[in-house]
Amino acid sequence: MLKACNEKPKKVARIFEDSGLAPDISVPDESEVPASEGHHRDIPEWARKLAVIFRLAPGVDYSMMGEFFGQPTQESTQAFTAFVDTFDWGDSDMEEAMRSLLQAYLLP
């Protein structure tokens, strides 16, 4: 799946959906995450699962992520929001938080 995503970054959501990996990836149900933790509500499960892959899987191309996130589509916005929600910046100052986010993918 990652090879296909790296080759066609604009099709990441479709490639992920077609891969059949979604059932094998567990993410907390939105109801299990307190709203006070700053997590966004109403993010589709597929986007939260894709965010887990982007954060944890070896071999994810940072420029592919940036190209996918940079699209002006609802899918890319949902996936980016889910990706941002995977970070824990509880004790970080603004500079540390921004650096950790911007080092996690490449801007197109």
Side-chain angles (χ1 to χ4, degrees), residues 1 4 11 15 19-20 22 25 31 33-34 36 41 46 54 56 67 70 78 81 84 94 98 101 105:
M1 182 199 95
K11 305 286 184 191
I15 292 167
S19 74
I25 300 169
S31 64
V33 179
S36 62
R41 300 292 183 191
W46 72 265
F54 281 173
L56 302 177
E67 189 170 338
Q78 290 171 332
T81 301
V84 169
M94 180 62 89
M98 290 301 297
L101 176 62
Y105 71 100

Side-chain angles (χ1 to χ4, degrees), residues 1-90:
M1 182 199 95
L2 289 178
K3 182 178 178 185
C5 289
N6 290 338
E7 291 171 359
K8 299 179 182 179
K10 293 182 179 182
K11 305 286 184 191
V12 167
R14 172 64 72 197
I15 292 167
F16 178 62
E17 183 179 313
D18 293 344
S19 74
L21 291 173
D24 297 328
I25 300 169
S26 63
V27 293
D29 186 271
E30 283 187 344
S31 64
E32 298 173 14
V33 179
S36 62
E37 289 188 23
H39 294 275
H40 295 87
R41 300 292 183 191
D42 302 324
I43 299 298
E45 186 177 38
W46 72 265
R48 293 185 292 123
K49 290 181 176 194
L50 184 61
V52 168
I53 290 174
F54 281 173
R55 282 296 306 274
L56 302 177
V60 176
D61 186 304
Y62 287 6
S63 62
M64 173 274 298
M65 291 169 46
E67 189 170 338
F68 174 63
F69 289 153
Q71 296 179 85
T73 66
Q74 183 178 8
E75 288 178 334
S76 62
T77 300
Q78 290 171 332
F80 184 70
T81 301
F83 182 73
V84 169
D85 281 350
T86 65
F87 290 84
D88 178 10
W89 292 305

